[in-house]
Amino acid sequence: MMWKPDRQGKKPLYEQIADHLEQQISYGEFPPGSLLPSERKLAEQLGVNRSTVILAFAELRSMGIVESRTGSGTRVSRTKWEAMPKHTPNWSRYCEGGSFLPNLPFLRKIREALAQQPSLIDMASGELSPDLAPTDEIAALMSEHRYTSYLGYDNPQGYVPLREALVGYLDAYRKIQTTGSSILITSGSQQSLYLITQCLLSPGDAVAIEDPSYCYSLPMFQSAGLRLFRLPVDQDGVRPEDIRILYKKHRIKMVFVNPNFQNPTGTVLSMERRRQLLHIASELGLPIVEDDPFSLTAYGEEAPVPLKSMDTNGSVLYIGSFSKIAASGLRIGWMVAPHSIVERLADARQQMDFGLSVIPQQVAAQFIQSSYFQPHLERLQLQLQFKRDLAIASLRKELPDSISFTAPQGGLHLWCQLRHDVPDGKLLEEAVRKGVVFVPGSVYGSDAGFVRFTYARAKAEDIETGISGFAQALRELLS
Amino acid sequence: MMWKPDRQGKKPLYEQIADHLEQQISYGEFPPGSLLPSERKLAEQLGVNRSTVILAFAELRSMGIVESRTGSGTRVSRTKWEAMPKHTPNWSRYCEGGSFLPNLPFLRKIREALAQQPSLIDMASGELSPDLAPTDEIAALMSEHRYTSYLGYDNPQGYVPLREALVGYLDAYRKIQTTGSSILITSGSQQSLYLITQCLLSPGDAVAIEDPSYCYSLPMFQSAGLRLFRLPVDQDGVRPEDIRILYKKHRIKMVFVNPNFQNPTGTVLSMERRRQLLHIASELGLPIVEDDPFSLTAYGEEAPVPLKSMDTNGSVLYIGSFSKIAASGLRIGWMVAPHSIVERLADARQQMDFGLSVIPQQVAAQFIQSSYFQPHLERLQLQLQFKRDLAIASLRKELPDSISFTAPQGGLHLWCQLRHDVPDGKLLEEAVRKGVVFVPGSVYGSDAGFVRFTYARAKAEDIETGISGFAQALRELLS
């Protein structure tokens, strides 16, 4: 035995010896049931008094690691090392750890219901149905253009040809003049918002968010420790003067808005309010985050130009995405921002996931520059309008007196107010039983009595059945 | 004028009036230089005493918003609203905000140098050179298999067919038996580590990390507020008994190891230590995170089986990736973990980026099941070995007496100790001037005097030139 206790050590000799024996036992040098060296022999080997070894054995005995019987020496305990030898990590405690909050219970319930019951009519997921996505066009582009780029780590800001293609796209479709160096490619708007809340704001910072808003469905704001203040949305969007009041009261650090076909209400921020909002932002030196996923879905008239294109002061961080106008499964979004911000967020994103795959970025760049893009948009607009009209006709037929809404002029969603008081959770449960899911308005921060129907995700032929199922659920709860 | 001050309000009437006028001015209702209504007229309109209006004007004057000259009334100030009317957000303060730390200065310097000077020989980036990546094979697969899947949001755990393909891959190549429900597809090992540090650990938690380790190059551990404790790596890897000591002293909550061809040292954890490590983990109920990106690069003998395949106790979270054996630009990695952990991390990841694009996941699934995969691996192993030998031969020729290293049997990196004391930063700067970049060892947490050369990234014909540039830089600093 090479090991010797350390006579200069802080720990008493007997403890050192007990620790060492425990370790040897745990490595299997003394298997369960085996005999340890006698007290006398061990004392000799270690150069200590026999009484020290007796104390060490007593220590191990008290921990249940060894057993001594008079006359038969000291043995490694069988029960300790065989019956209860192992501890699996307490995984459930690890799952509850971490500052990052789980998704909202309603959203997890909806996801579980959809996974368990594939026949459910999905009026909850904010995305396009398979027939609205340009799957064939993308498949054609992938086989037309042989993939040749180097498959190494991408530029931290995103694939250069995609950023160049987006410069043209933003100019043509959104009247935004920018350059490739002011663009960051992200994994959809979701990652843009995540990077902003994680990297530009600190715990305790106050921010202003529309009420209701998609943002309330994202625990990431709470995970980042932000204090959220509400900007009520009326038929013309948020009231800019509310921002000034919040700034004076709470020193808000950032404002989040979705001016075109707001999620969930579908409202469009009026031109006058856009001007006022930008004016206040420049007066207060306040950054505006403009989320603009729906503009190109506008059914009739073109959507108003984004705040970003009117922003002569550099107040706006602009967020866009292909998720609602092409395919959420591309996972391609972008942010247009001052270069210093783009650099900071690109650096952080490198640490989180090392950027996006080059392959879908190349596909997206080809798609927006292809002759497929414009016809796809036109078809999408018509079909979304058709689905909206189906949803509205069904609601008017099924629930003429129980529900009110304003027909949205773009986007994927219909925001409805119920005339009766019904508990959110019960209504969702009952609707699942009737074969349909929607999102309760409380998920978006509104009071009880609101629901969001997504008409884009379901097949056109299922919309009436879905609304009818919802109507049955509502009637049952009211009866 | 519809607005009236609120006589029941907390604010004095004159302040309410001043606020209201300031707002009207800021909206442009009274442009710069324009005349405000007279005190008398305003008092009448608002139903207040003239003295209240006088106080309100005085308030606005003190803020520089209006100017009064005797006899000529009160005008909106030009200087306030024209010369200094606008405040761009203080973006640099936002960039410094956020709890998420930027990348290490050395790494940002290397990235900048590579961006500015594309002719630099890159012996710093931990990835394969274009000729080692299976770009042609992947392009061929993309045009052979027409893309047909629905391009909607992916399953939160990742594309089901890829998870199924990985079950076969893990069994065949890593002797790990698992099921699709225990696999989470991630954006490379980087995102696996990010999710673990963000979601399973809390600020203040202690964790044990190899010393040196790739992990020290990731500020994400500090960003998550973790306390890091070191497990020194010798020629056989970490010493398991050190884990027990750290556990007793600091109650470490998790251990991070890279057992095969460790980054940066290239060492392989011995079989005996693997058994001891698992034993200690099960004794303490301590989770082990096993990062295993390099095993399939083994040049000669097969790499030892992973801890995960020996783990009968459920202690190991296993992380793998295609970045080092196929292409980092696919951004495909995976984690094998208890289902509760996979679910928790999948839920969090939904919030961060809504998952990965389906397209590269489909490509990856096709690739590992294709007849291209095994020949690719064999070619990769031979070529990496060839490049390693080139790097070693150049170092022996250029710096026979100044540098020592152990030839790695797999992986992408050569870890070298310098015999002389040279400041890290100066050496890197001088090397950039000589046309080559490497990573200073301090980035991986080691003392000064170590460097990591990646021989996989540079072209074979550039390796000798690169090493020679480094040698010149070193000689210049020593002279």
Side-chain angles (χ1 to χ4, degrees):
Chain A
M1 192 184 276
M2 296 297 296
W3 180 84
K4 299 259 169 172
D6 174 8
R7 287 180 178 275
Q8 263 68 52
K10 275 188 200 160
K11 269 196 185 174
L13 292 180
Y14 82 90
E15 266 192 40
Q16 293 183 40
I17 294 169
D19 280 358
H20 176 69
L21 287 172
E22 185 193 347
Q23 191 181 303
Q24 286 195 297
I25 292 167
S26 79
Y27 287 172
E29 292 186 28
F30 298 107
S34 67
L35 203 59
L36 291 182
S38 71
E39 291 159 1
R40 192 188 46 78
K41 198 170 167 199
L42 211 51
E44 203 176 286
Q45 281 176 335
L46 300 174
V48 296
N49 291 330
R50 194 170 156 199
S51 61
T52 308
V53 175
I54 291 173
L55 278 175
F57 278 8
E59 180 79 3
L60 292 173
R61 221 167 19 241
S62 76
M63 294 159 74
I65 291 170
V66 301
E67 301 165 332
S68 310
R69 238 171 280 156
T70 330
S72 70
T74 301
R75 284 178 189 279
V76 177
S77 164
R78 283 187 193 278
T79 48
K80 175 78 177 174
W81 298 101
E82 282 180 353
M84 264 204 55
K86 291 175 165 189
H87 303 280
T88 297
N90 188 342
W91 291 119
S92 65
R93 208 185 300 155
Y94 284 91
C95 282
E96 286 152 22
S99 47
F100 203 82
L101 300 170
N103 260 309
L104 297 182
F106 275 146
L107 294 181
R108 282 185 288 163
K109 237 174 227 169
I110 291 167
R111 204 162 73 197
E112 278 161 30
L114 284 167
Q116 282 163 14
Q117 210 175 312
S119 67
L120 269 187
I121 296 175
D122 184 355
M123 303 193 75
S125 305
E127 63 175 344
L128 305 177
S129 53
D131 60 307
L132 296 186
T135 314
D136 287 343
E137 291 90 326
I138 284 176
L141 286 167
M142 282 173 69
S143 45
E144 281 165 29
H145 300 256
R146 191 171 165 88
Y147 189 87
T148 51
S149 293
Y150 167 45
L151 271 175
Y153 290 117
D154 189 25
N155 180 297
Q157 281 183 230
Y159 187 57
V160 172
L162 174 57
R163 286 192 274 140
E164 283 163 6
L166 280 171
V167 169
Y169 164 93
L170 286 164
D171 184 25
Y173 288 95
R174 305 307 298 128
K175 298 197 174 57
I176 293 172
Q177 258 87 51
T178 188
T179 60
S181 67
S182 301
I183 295 177
L184 174 69
I185 308 295
T186 60
S187 177
S189 303
Q190 191 90 357
Q191 191 174 43
S192 294
L193 290 172
Y194 182 65
L195 290 169
I196 290 169
T197 54
Q198 286 287 308
C199 304
L200 303 182
L201 296 165
S202 303
D205 279 355
V207 301
I209 292 182
E210 292 162 316
D211 171 18
S213 165
Y214 170 66
C215 295
Y216 294 102
S217 71
L218 305 174
M220 68 163 85
F221 287 85
Q222 281 89 352
S223 294
L226 304 178
R227 291 178 301 137
L228 310 186
F229 294 98
R230 286 160 183 265
L231 297 171
V233 170
D234 65 23
Q235 70 280 5
D236 290 323
V238 297
R239 295 181 303 255
E241 57 268 42
D242 291 344
I243 293 173
R244 193 194 303 276
I245 294 166
L246 289 182
Y247 182 80
K248 283 197 177 159
K249 257 188 158 164
H250 305 290
R251 291 287 138 182
I252 49 169
K253 287 268 179 67
M254 207 172 265
V255 178
F256 292 81
V257 289
N258 172 195
N260 285 343
F261 316 123
Q262 198 251 2
N263 184 358
T265 63
T267 52
V268 174
L269 185 66
S270 73
M271 251 313 159
E272 202 194 334
R273 290 191 181 177
R274 283 173 204 242
R275 276 189 288 267
Q276 291 173 4
L277 200 155
L278 285 171
H279 188 103
I280 291 177
S282 72
E283 185 195 328
L284 303 176
L286 193 60
I288 309 283
V289 177
E290 178 180 31
D291 191 9
D292 188 27
F294 305 117
S295 288
L296 294 200
T297 63
Y299 310 147
E301 256 179 276
E302 252 182 45
V305 295
L307 294 167
K308 182 74 184 172
S309 77
M310 306 161 63
D311 171 31
T312 55
N313 188 56
S315 308
V316 177
L317 304 179
Y318 177 85
I319 294 175
S321 154
F322 283 138
S323 297
K324 315 297 182 186
I325 57 168
S328 46
L330 280 174
R331 305 306 311 123
I332 301 286
W334 48 89
M335 194 188 307
V336 184
H339 184 64
S340 60
I341 296 286
V342 165
E343 259 197 328
R344 163 76 166 112
L345 300 184
D347 177 272
R349 200 261 304 274
Q350 287 284 96
Q351 293 185 57
M352 295 173 180
D353 59 22
F354 245 116
L356 303 184
S357 173
V358 179
I359 296 174
Q361 295 188 81
Q362 197 182 54
V363 170
Q366 283 161 0
F367 182 51
I368 51 172
Q369 293 177 308
S370 75
S371 57
Y372 296 126
F373 188 58
Q374 184 61 39
H376 160 73
L377 281 182
E378 286 162 18
R379 190 177 62 112
L380 175 68
Q381 289 153 3
L382 287 175
Q383 293 195 311
L384 282 174
Q385 186 174 15
F386 173 63
K387 284 184 162 185
R388 177 202 65 178
D389 291 343
L390 281 176
I392 288 178
S394 305
L395 281 169
R396 291 215 169 110
K397 183 181 147 213
E398 295 278 347
L399 296 165
D401 305 314
S402 317
I403 207 160
S404 65
F405 52 81
T406 308
Q409 301 305 308
L412 281 54
H413 314 293
L414 186 61
W415 181 244
C416 301
Q417 180 165 23
L418 304 177
R419 297 254 163 79
H420 306 277
D421 223 19
V422 186
D424 263 8
K426 284 230 167 110
L427 185 56
L428 179 60
E429 248 173 58
E430 198 52 46
V432 168
R433 237 169 270 142
K434 304 288 185 227
V436 62
V437 278
F438 64 92
V439 185
S442 62
V443 164
Y444 305 109
S446 79
D447 296 332
F450 286 88
V451 298
R452 189 193 82 171
F453 292 111
T454 300
Y455 44 80
R457 180 63 183 83
K459 286 186 225 155
E461 59 265 37
D462 286 343
I463 289 178
E464 193 178 345
T465 319
I467 295 290
S468 156
F470 173 84
Q472 285 172 46
L474 181 62
R475 280 193 293 264
E476 262 178 43
L477 286 184
L478 292 176
S479 66
Chain B
M1 190 185 276
M2 296 297 295
W3 180 85
K4 299 260 169 171
D6 175 8
R7 288 182 176 274
Q8 263 69 54
K10 274 187 202 160
K11 271 196 184 175
L13 292 180
Y14 82 91
E15 266 193 38
Q16 293 183 39
I17 295 169
D19 280 358
H20 176 70
L21 287 172
E22 185 193 347
Q23 190 181 304
Q24 285 195 298
I25 292 167
S26 79
Y27 288 173
E29 293 186 26
F30 298 108
S34 67
L35 201 60
L36 291 182
S38 72
E39 292 161 358
R40 195 188 43 79
K41 198 171 164 198
L42 211 51
E44 204 175 284
Q45 283 177 333
L46 299 174
V48 296
N49 292 330
R50 196 171 152 198
S51 60
T52 307
V53 175
I54 291 173
L55 278 172
F57 279 7
E59 179 79 4
L60 291 174
R61 221 166 21 242
S62 75
M63 292 158 75
I65 292 169
V66 301
E67 301 165 335
S68 309
R69 239 171 278 156
T70 329
S72 71
T74 300
R75 285 180 189 277
V76 178
S77 162
R78 283 186 194 277
T79 46
K80 174 78 178 176
W81 297 102
E82 281 179 357
M84 263 203 53
K86 291 175 164 188
H87 304 279
T88 297
N90 187 342
W91 290 121
S92 64
R93 206 183 303 154
Y94 283 91
C95 282
E96 287 153 19
S99 47
F100 203 81
L101 300 171
N103 261 308
L104 297 183
F106 275 147
L107 294 181
R108 283 185 287 163
K109 238 175 228 168
I110 291 167
R111 206 162 70 197
E112 278 160 30
L114 284 168
Q116 281 162 15
Q117 210 176 312
S119 67
L120 270 186
I121 296 175
D122 183 355
M123 303 193 76
S125 305
E127 61 175 346
L128 305 178
S129 54
D131 61 306
L132 296 187
T135 314
D136 287 342
E137 291 91 326
I138 284 176
L141 286 168
M142 281 173 70
S143 45
E144 282 165 26
H145 299 257
R146 190 171 167 87
Y147 189 88
T148 51
S149 292
Y150 168 43
L151 271 174
Y153 291 116
D154 189 25
N155 180 297
Q157 280 182 232
Y159 188 56
V160 172
L162 175 57
R163 285 192 273 139
E164 281 162 8
L166 280 171
V167 168
Y169 164 93
L170 287 164
D171 184 25
Y173 288 95
R174 306 306 299 128
K175 297 196 175 58
I176 293 172
Q177 257 87 50
T178 188
T179 61
S181 68
S182 301
I183 295 177
L184 175 69
I185 308 295
T186 60
S187 178
S189 303
Q190 192 90 357
Q191 190 174 41
S192 293
L193 289 173
Y194 182 66
L195 289 169
I196 289 169
T197 54
Q198 286 288 309
C199 304
L200 303 183
L201 296 165
S202 303
D205 279 354
V207 300
I209 292 181
E210 291 161 316
D211 171 18
S213 165
Y214 170 67
C215 294
Y216 295 102
S217 71
L218 305 173
M220 69 163 86
F221 287 86
Q222 281 89 351
S223 294
L226 304 178
R227 293 179 297 138
L228 311 187
F229 293 98
R230 288 161 182 264
L231 296 172
V233 170
D234 66 23
Q235 69 280 6
D236 289 323
V238 297
R239 294 183 302 257
E241 56 267 42
D242 290 345
I243 293 173
R244 193 194 304 274
I245 293 166
L246 288 181
Y247 182 81
K248 281 196 179 160
K249 255 188 160 166
H250 306 289
R251 290 287 136 183
I252 49 169
K253 286 270 178 68
M254 209 173 264
V255 178
F256 291 81
V257 289
N258 173 194
N260 285 343
F261 315 124
Q262 200 251 1
N263 184 355
T265 61
T267 50
V268 173
L269 185 66
S270 72
M271 253 310 159
E272 199 194 337
R273 289 191 180 179
R274 283 174 203 241
R275 276 190 288 267
Q276 290 172 4
L277 201 155
L278 285 172
H279 188 104
I280 291 177
S282 73
E283 184 195 329
L284 303 176
L286 193 60
I288 307 285
V289 177
E290 178 179 33
D291 192 8
D292 188 28
F294 304 116
S295 288
L296 295 199
T297 64
Y299 309 147
E301 256 180 276
E302 251 181 49
V305 295
L307 293 168
K308 183 73 183 173
S309 77
M310 304 161 65
D311 171 32
T312 54
N313 189 55
S315 307
V316 178
L317 303 180
Y318 177 85
I319 294 174
S321 155
F322 284 137
S323 297
K324 314 299 181 187
I325 57 168
S328 46
L330 280 173
R331 306 305 312 122
I332 301 287
W334 50 87
M335 194 189 305
V336 185
H339 184 64
S340 61
I341 295 287
V342 166
E343 260 196 329
R344 164 76 167 112
L345 300 184
D347 177 273
R349 200 261 303 273
Q350 288 284 95
Q351 292 185 56
M352 296 173 179
D353 59 21
F354 244 116
L356 303 184
S357 172
V358 178
I359 297 174
Q361 294 188 80
Q362 199 182 51
V363 171
Q366 283 161 2
F367 182 51
I368 49 172
Q369 293 177 307
S370 75
S371 57
Y372 296 125
F373 188 57
Q374 183 61 37
H376 160 73
L377 282 182
E378 285 162 17
R379 189 178 63 112
L380 175 68
Q381 290 154 2
L382 287 174
Q383 292 195 311
L384 282 174
Q385 185 173 15
F386 173 63
K387 285 183 161 186
R388 176 202 66 178
D389 292 342
L390 282 176
I392 288 178
S394 305
L395 281 169
R396 292 218 168 108
K397 183 180 147 214
E398 294 280 347
L399 295 165
D401 304 314
S402 317
I403 207 160
S404 64
F405 51 82
T406 307
Q409 301 306 308
L412 281 53
H413 314 292
L414 186 61
W415 181 244
C416 301
Q417 180 163 22
L418 304 176
R419 297 252 164 79
H420 307 276
D421 223 18
V422 185
D424 263 5
K426 286 229 166 109
L427 184 56
L428 179 61
E429 250 174 57
E430 199 51 48
V432 168
R433 238 169 270 142
K434 304 289 185 228
V436 61
V437 278
F438 63 92
V439 185
S442 63
V443 164
Y444 306 108
S446 77
D447 296 333
F450 287 88
V451 299
R452 190 193 81 171
F453 291 112
T454 300
Y455 45 79
R457 180 65 183 80
K459 286 186 227 154
E461 58 266 35
D462 286 345
I463 288 177
E464 193 177 346
T465 319
I467 295 290
S468 155
F470 174 82
Q472 285 171 48
L474 182 62
R475 279 192 295 263
E476 262 178 45
L477 286 183
L478 292 177
S479 68

